[in-house]
């Protein structure tokens, strides 16, 4: 069973997300990851195994808060139970689009991801994981390149 935590607010996002994921530890999972907005895009840290394996990676995420003191913090976190792809850091969520501006986590299975992945690869998208979830940020990005705003692109991706 996977867990998803999100936060938007004035406090340090990565620690709050990490704490929320710790509360879900009883659920069982094989990897975890956290993404937070920073001034240059989205910073992502992932780890295989128990959530404690993220401990050594939290410093980089917490530094974002220090650099942006007083600004709103935004982040997401996920614990994963592998369904597509092996138990690796590359397969752990969150997944990003090519330029690192869209981060996605999800629970469930995207049944037509192979077809979507092949379409995106034909357009030049290079995938970094073996997961079904990674098609989502790339698909949203593809719709945005046609002129759709983020919200409409996300809705179009969901429909597909």
């Amino acid at each position: 069973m996977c867990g998803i935590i999100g936060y938007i607010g004035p406090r340090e996002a990565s620690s709050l997300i990490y704490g929320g994921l710790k509360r879900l530890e009883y659920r069982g999972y094989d990897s975890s990851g956290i993404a937070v907005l920073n001034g240059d895009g989205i910073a992502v840290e992932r780890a295989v195994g128990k959530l404690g394996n993220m401990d050594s990676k939290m410093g980089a995420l917490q530094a974002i808060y220090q650099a942006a003191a007083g600004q709103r913090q935004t982040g997401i976190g996920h614990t994963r139970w592998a369904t597509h792809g092996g138990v690796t850091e590359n397969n752990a969520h969150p997944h990003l689009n090519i330029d690192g501006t869209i981060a996605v986590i999800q629970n469930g299975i995207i049944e037509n991801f192979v077809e979507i992945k092949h379409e995106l690869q034909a357009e030049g998208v290079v995938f970094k994981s073996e997961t079904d979830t990674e098609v989502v940020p790339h698909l949203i990005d593809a719709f945005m390149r046609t002129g759709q705003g983020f919200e409409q692109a996300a809705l179009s991706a969901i429909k597909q």
Side-chain angles (χ1 to χ4, degrees):
M1 181 72 80
C2 303
I4 295 175
I5 302 288
Y7 175 76
I8 299 173
R11 296 175 54 200
E12 196 263 304
S14 62
S15 293
L16 290 169
I17 293 165
Y18 183 78
L21 292 174
K22 284 189 81 60
R23 289 187 180 116
L24 299 174
E25 277 190 292
Y26 72 92
R27 302 176 92 180
Y29 54 87
D30 54 46
S31 58
S32 58
I34 296 174
V36 294
L37 287 177
N38 65 22
D40 301 320
I42 301 171
V44 175
E45 293 291 344
R46 302 180 187 116
V48 171
K50 294 290 182 191
L51 187 60
N53 294 343
M54 283 286 293
D55 286 350
S56 64
K57 300 177 179 211
M58 291 301 295
L61 295 174
Q62 291 165 336
I64 292 167
Y65 176 69
Q66 300 304 322
Q71 297 178 11
R72 183 176 74 170
Q73 293 279 293
T74 303
I76 56 176
H78 187 264
T79 52
R80 176 178 185 254
W81 187 255
T83 54
H84 290 98
V87 181
T88 67
E89 281 191 25
N90 280 346
N91 288 337
H93 297 200
H95 292 287
L96 301 173
N97 64 329
I98 293 170
D99 62 3
T101 58
I102 300 169
V104 172
I105 56 179
Q106 68 97 18
N107 287 346
I109 295 172
I110 300 169
E111 293 182 4
N112 63 339
F113 90 96
V114 172
E115 295 83 3
I116 295 169
K117 184 174 183 175
H118 289 153
E119 290 172 17
L120 291 167
Q121 286 173 322
E123 296 173 13
V125 174
V126 176
F127 285 78
K128 297 179 180 178
S129 79
E130 304 166 307
T131 70
D132 56 342
T133 302
E134 191 184 359
V135 301
V136 178
H138 294 301
L139 190 56
I140 292 169
D141 193 41
F143 282 116
M144 289 180 71
R145 286 193 309 274
T146 69
Q148 293 183 18
F150 175 78
E151 184 176 342
Q152 184 57 51
L155 292 171
S156 295
I158 290 168
K159 286 178 186 175
Q160 188 166 341

